[in-house]
Amino acid sequence: MTRTSGAPDATLPASIPGTVTDAELPALRRRVQAVLIATQILGGLGIATGVALAAVLARDVSGSEALSGLASTATVAGPALLAMPLAALMASRGRRAGLVLAYLIGAVGAGVAVLGAVAESFPLLLVGLVGFGAGSSANLAARFAAADLAEPGRRARSISTVVWATTVGAVLGPNIAAPAGRSVVGLGIPVTAGPFVWAAGVFVIAALVVAVLLRPDPLLTARALDASGAGEAPEERSLRAGLRAVRESPKARLAVVTVAGAHTAMVSIMSMTPVALTHHGADIQLIGLVISGHIAGMYAFSPLMGWLSDRLGRLSVIGLAVGLIGAAALVAGTAGSSHGRTAVGLFVLGLGWSAGLVAGSALLTDSVPQAARAAVQGLSDFVMNTAAGVGGLVAGLVVAQAGYGPLNAIAACLLLPVAALGIRGSLRPA
């Protein structure tokens, strides 16, 4: 059987085939996923390499430990600022154009950060870190690119496989920060800026891999295969159409709230855990182990979350995410001087984030028309990153005024709207 796109769409590039046979689809899916996994590893490597010393570099350039926290804020601001423009570009030109642009912005941002370090200009460094952080937008968008051609019954697993690939880069990145620093000795570049030199190169390689190998474009091909969307007008893919699609779909609203709530709770608790640990005598090595366990929970078990989401349903795994994050907040928030309990809480927090991200992303893709998906997905990432940025800032104030325990309680409460919408959705007649 041959699948066709119906009436030709003048807005699609000539590289998109008019027909794709059922026999060709499995190979196409595997090729797209392989390219996305490769770029996810590269992107994760570039991000983790730079982030490992971002705060230290900011402290060295600014001369103030108080200002070093702005490095984290700047890298989080990048994805939030780029989310909507990137969604608009993908909606009109496809995944390849958006991913290439995001990686190139990350590379330029890393280069600007290096210039800021050399010139000892803190404002220039922050501008560079915003651009560098925008490179992570490509890694976020890649999970949706993996879903474009996936079968509905395997969509969550496709998303989770690409999310899992980030584990490789996240683990390797901090370990190559030291060699990256040593490599710039004698070039007039501060050692702490060396990782950003390497990150720029890695982002450029990732952009080249996408530009050359992500063909045909998965989003545009999915549209060509979607007979129900034949003849759709360009305005049906606009950001306004994406907002309308979310308003009209209760499940899409649940998905957006799930992803944003899980991500904000995770960032808020995780960002202040090192501070809480130091208050109870933990050294840098122990803090590193706790955060490493947390990252393992976030990424290493995402294939399991994808399998559960496809087998048990999106709502069941969203419920699991709420339960895991609530349990994590309870364990970590009451750990006190027990470093082991804090480590367990952070690991479970990572699992809850993984469940929420994978199931929420799959539900979002399921719940909106093909034409509006790119715009809706960009809106979700914008809400997620903006909420997490605010959460990270507020978390510091909460810990300073009330403590780490109350922060965990407040973070857990962020999941109450998710639980309410999930219960309402499960009770709604099919």
Side-chain angles (χ1 to χ4, degrees), residues 349-411:
L349 178 66
L351 291 178
W353 176 87
S354 180
L357 183 77
V358 170
S361 299
L363 180 63
L364 186 67
T365 304
D366 293 341
S367 304
V368 296
Q370 173 64 252
R373 279 179 186 168
V376 169
Q377 291 159 352
L379 172 65
S380 176
D381 281 350
F382 170 75
V383 173
M384 174 182 75
N385 285 296
T386 301
V390 173
L393 290 173
V394 173
L397 299 175
V398 172
V399 169
Q401 297 298 320
Y404 184 65
L407 170 65
N408 278 267
I410 293 171

Side-chain angles (χ1 to χ4, degrees), residues 105-125:
I105 290 176
V108 172
V112 172
V114 173
L115 291 177
V118 172
E120 297 184 350
S121 170
F122 188 60
L124 185 61
L125 173 64

Side-chain angles (χ1 to χ4, degrees), residues 156-157 303-314 316-317 320:
R157 274 169 281 188
L304 173 63
M305 300 306 175
W307 181 81
L308 289 173
S309 186
D310 284 336
R311 290 296 299 270
L312 303 180
R314 319 305 193 211
S316 296
V317 178
L320 175 63

Side-chain angles (χ1 to χ4, degrees), residues 74-114:
T75 56
V76 171
L81 291 173
L82 189 60
M84 298 303 281
L86 192 64
L89 177 62
M90 288 185 177
S92 62
R93 301 294 299 173
R95 301 290 186 194
R96 186 168 62 249
L99 293 175
V100 168
L101 177 63
Y103 281 129
L104 291 180
I105 290 176
V108 172
V112 172
V114 173

Side-chain angles (χ1 to χ4, degrees), residues 81-420:
L81 291 173
L82 189 60
M84 298 303 281
L86 192 64
L89 177 62
M90 288 185 177
S92 62
R93 301 294 299 173
R95 301 290 186 194
R96 186 168 62 249
L99 293 175
V100 168
L101 177 63
Y103 281 129
L104 291 180
I105 290 176
V108 172
V112 172
V114 173
L115 291 177
V118 172
E120 297 184 350
S121 170
F122 188 60
L124 185 61
L125 173 64
L126 290 181
V127 171
L129 290 176
V130 170
F132 167 77
S136 64
S137 298
N139 275 33
L140 289 171
R143 75 188 193 278
F144 289 125
D148 287 332
L149 292 174
E151 299 169 281
R154 296 186 61 86
R155 189 168 281 150
R157 274 169 281 188
S158 296
I159 291 172
S160 65
T161 300
V162 172
V163 172
W164 171 86
T166 306
T167 309
V168 180
V171 171
L172 290 178
N175 292 306
I176 67 172
R182 291 193 296 268
S183 71
V184 300
V185 173
L187 299 178
I189 299 174
V191 172
T192 48
F196 290 93
V197 176
W198 283 33
V202 170
F203 283 148
V204 169
I205 294 171
L208 288 174
V209 170
V210 171
V212 174
L213 299 181
L214 196 62
R215 296 174 182 273
D217 187 285
L219 177 60
L220 300 184
T221 303
R223 286 180 182 164
L225 294 172
D226 182 21
S228 66
E232 65 191 21
E235 56 266 22
E236 294 179 62
R237 305 171 190 158
S238 67
L239 295 177
R240 181 174 296 179
L243 286 168
R244 184 172 62 250
V246 172
R247 286 198 304 268
E248 294 174 352
S249 171
K251 288 186 177 180
R253 292 197 297 272
L254 169 61
V256 171
V257 172
T258 296
V259 173
H263 192 61
T264 304
M266 184 276 292
V267 169
S268 300
I269 296 173
M270 182 270 292
S271 64
M272 297 311 298
T273 297
V275 175
L277 287 170
T278 58
H279 288 167
H280 293 286
D283 58 17
I284 293 177
Q285 183 176 1
L286 178 58
I287 292 172
L289 288 173
V290 172
I291 298 302
S292 294
H294 169 66
I295 292 173
M298 288 174 63
Y299 296 116
F301 294 87
S302 57
L304 173 63
M305 300 306 175
W307 181 81
L308 289 173
S309 186
D310 284 336
R311 290 296 299 270
L312 303 180
R314 319 305 193 211
L315 293 181
S316 296
V317 178
I318 287 173
L320 175 63
V322 172
L324 286 171
I325 293 174
L330 177 63
V331 172
T334 59
S337 60
S338 173
H339 298 150
R341 286 189 62 184
T342 302
V344 170
L346 265 288
F347 175 74
V348 175
L349 178 66
L351 291 178
W353 176 87
S354 180
L357 183 77
V358 170
S361 299
L363 180 63
L364 186 67
T365 304
D366 293 341
S367 304
V368 296
Q370 173 64 252
R373 279 179 186 168
V376 169
Q377 291 159 352
L379 172 65
S380 176
D381 281 350
F382 170 75
V383 173
M384 174 182 75
N385 285 296
T386 301
V390 173
L393 290 173
V394 173
L397 299 175
V398 172
V399 169
Q401 297 298 320
Y404 184 65
L407 170 65
N408 278 267
I410 293 171
C413 289
L414 295 176
L415 277 297
L416 292 177
V418 178

